[in-house]
């Protein structure tokens, strides 16, 4: 049992009791700090802004506005119709056919 240890049964009346406790607040704080540092090492891979800027690879050829590569062609069509009603869609986005 973790609460008391005896060398033999005849030593039982004179044996000392040893307690194994779960740790104090300092130990818990140190463990939490260590876990947070490990988490921050794996999580800190830089800003998302750089990746977002790289993903802006669709560009309107008329006004040079950029769009994320996952933009639906419907949204590109809306842009061409609303911002450039006199220009055809193909002039705005020649590399992205409908």
């Amino acid at each position: 049992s973790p609460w008391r240890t005896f060398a033999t049964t005849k030593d039982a009346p004179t044996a000392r009791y040893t307690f194994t406790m779960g740790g104090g607040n300092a130990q818990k704080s140190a463990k939490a700090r260590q876990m947070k540092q490990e988490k921050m090492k794996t999580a800190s891979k830089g800003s998302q802004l750089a990746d977002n800027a790289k993903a802006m690879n669709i560009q309107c050829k008329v006004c040079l506005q950029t769009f994320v590569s996952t933009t639906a062609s419907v949204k590109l069509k809306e842009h061409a119709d609303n911002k450039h009603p006199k220009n055809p869609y193909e002039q705005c986005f020649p590399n992205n056919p409908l």
Side-chain angles (χ1 to χ4, degrees):
S1 159
W3 296 101
R4 55 187 156 176
T5 57
F6 302 120
T8 60
T9 42
K10 69 179 183 175
D11 295 334
T14 59
R16 292 187 199 152
Y17 291 98
T18 58
F19 296 99
T20 56
M21 300 184 73
N25 286 337
Q27 184 179 8
K28 291 177 187 176
S29 298
K31 181 70 172 172
R33 194 175 307 113
Q34 179 187 7
M35 295 291 283
K36 186 173 181 180
Q37 286 176 349
E38 290 174 4
K39 184 178 177 184
M40 293 303 286
K41 285 180 186 176
T42 59
S44 63
K45 294 183 179 170
S47 175
Q48 185 68 31
L49 295 175
D51 292 336
N52 289 348
K54 290 177 188 174
M56 302 287 265
N57 60 1
I58 299 175
Q59 188 175 37
C60 175
K61 300 300 179 189
V62 176
C63 66
L64 303 179
Q65 180 176 350
T66 56
F67 297 90
V68 181
S69 62
T70 58
T71 304
S73 59
V74 175
K75 295 291 183 184
L76 298 176
K77 177 91 170 104
E78 286 178 9
H79 169 81
D81 292 342
N82 294 335
K83 300 288 183 175
H84 316 292
K86 296 180 182 178
N87 300 0
Y89 173 83
E90 292 76 21
Q91 186 178 357
C92 292
F93 302 104
N95 298 331
N96 297 335
L98 287 175

